[in-house]
Amino acid sequence: MPGPGQPQFGWGAPPGGPKPPKKGRGGLIAVLVLVGVLLVGVTALKIVSAALKGDGGDPSYASPTTTTSYTPTNQPTEEPSGQPTNVPTTKPTVRQTTQAPRPTATRSTATATSKPTTNPGPTDSDLVLRNRLYKAGAMASVNCKESKARQSTVAGARANYKNLWGCLNRAWAPLVTKAGGRFGAPTVKIFSGTITTPCGTHSDSGPPFFCGTTDTIYMNLTEDIGNYNRYPQAYQKVWARMWMLHQFAHEYGHHIQNNMGILQAYARIRYERPTYAMELQDSRRLELQASCFSDIFIGANRRSYPITGQSQFQWRWLIGHVTDDANDHGDANNHQYWATRGYNARNPSVCNTFAASAAKVQ
């Protein structure tokens, strides 16, 4: 078992069904990082660029952000038995009539020139509350199959990342395109030890993360390989595979937010918040949405991957057993609520966390 200050690894569901982790021992620690905006571990994410202000609704200019994901519980277990586009308007044409004293006088008219108008595009509120992605429809299965490689080695982990990258690109591209977004595949990099990125320096004692500056997903090899090799039981390895699937798809969810301007709008909105408590609520809305997006993909491909039997058992366990000590990712009940919504509906319309009540994003 890891000692205090060491990385907390997580294991599968205990026998007879889920049990809450022991108090003070970790649970599933948040692992959803959007570099530069959220919190890494318990460090508050500071948005310091004044350039985030005053540039309209175009998502292309904004500084990128960072998000972290959830980490596994450290409790060993046994195998269970069982856009408002403002339409410009012009001033109505005014006909001015000048009449001379004589009946034969000619009439002259003058048409007022309309003022030029500029379409300001969607506001930040539009981008997070009424994003066109919410109306893009359900995700179709791309018949994604799990890689036959296992993450017991660097090569095995790479094979899984590459496979998921291809599946997620095929699954999300049609929805982003239909919603009018600018789809592009993210870069994926792996790390062990310490890595320095445009979004800061991160250690493998923390979670995988997404950096909006370079639209890059950084996957933590130490975590994924460590989870898989920690215990020999088959069900523990199933848990590790489901954990890696959810983490990768979650970070990809931040990539989708980046494609659709949600991430940039979130950064600008959070920057203007008068209190830190409001900033944290914004962060939880962003992270819970990324998990909802994650499970849209998992749900859409549940039959081909497949998410059945022990895989489904362990997936259900992990989405409902997370801790949020920094109060920036959402508690276990709400994480399970949003992840399950995405899984069941397979439609971004159910993932509008920005319109949800405060109680649903605690």
Side-chain angles (χ1 to χ4, degrees), residues 237-249:
K237 297 185 184 303
V238 174
W239 181 92
R241 286 156 46 202
M242 292 299 101
W243 182 254
M244 180 181 65
L245 165 65
H246 194 274
Q247 294 294 77
F248 193 99

Side-chain angles (χ1 to χ4, degrees), residues 12-232:
K19 295 178 182 177
K22 296 178 181 178
K23 292 183 179 180
R25 295 306 302 274
L28 289 178
I29 304 169
V31 195
L32 314 163
V33 181
L34 278 173
V35 177
V37 175
L38 295 183
L39 308 177
V40 177
V42 296
T43 302
L45 194 71
K46 303 295 183 182
I47 306 173
V48 296
S49 173
L52 292 178
K53 301 178 181 179
D55 290 46
D58 183 359
S60 63
Y61 80 85
S63 293
T65 56
T66 304
T67 59
T68 54
S69 194
Y70 294 93
T71 45
T73 174
N74 64 344
Q75 181 179 342
T77 61
E78 298 177 10
E79 186 169 8
S81 58
Q83 303 216 50
T85 52
N86 296 328
V87 179
T89 58
T90 61
K91 287 185 176 181
T93 300
V94 178
R95 180 178 292 273
Q96 296 177 335
T97 303
T98 303
Q99 183 171 349
R102 297 177 182 178
T104 57
T106 59
R107 302 164 69 91
S108 63
T109 60
T111 303
T113 303
S114 61
K115 290 184 178 180
T117 59
T118 301
N119 185 346
T123 65
D124 290 336
S125 291
D126 292 328
L127 287 169
V128 299
L129 288 169
R130 292 172 288 277
N131 200 283
R132 287 178 292 182
L133 183 64
Y134 304 149
K135 296 183 179 180
M139 177 180 287
S141 172
V142 291
N143 294 314
C144 182
K145 294 179 173 59
E146 185 179 12
S147 171
K148 293 181 179 179
R150 292 293 176 256
Q151 70 231 48
S152 58
T153 64
V154 173
R158 282 181 181 274
N160 276 275
Y161 300 151
K162 182 177 180 180
N163 177 61
L164 285 171
W165 177 82
C167 289
L168 283 155
N169 289 338
R170 296 195 307 274
W172 276 107
L175 293 185
V176 172
T177 301
K178 185 176 180 180
R182 296 168 294 182
F183 180 82
T187 300
V188 178
K189 293 186 178 180
I190 61 176
F191 69 99
S192 289
T194 299
I195 185 170
T196 299
T197 77
C199 294
T201 298
H202 298 271
S203 167
D204 62 9
S205 62
F209 60 94
F210 173 78
C211 178
T213 306
T214 53
D215 200 25
T216 299
I217 294 170
Y218 291 86
M219 292 302 295
N220 187 337
L221 272 175
T222 302
E223 179 181 78
D224 284 332
I225 295 176
N227 283 345
Y228 191 85
N229 292 332
R230 182 79 174 188
Y231 287 123

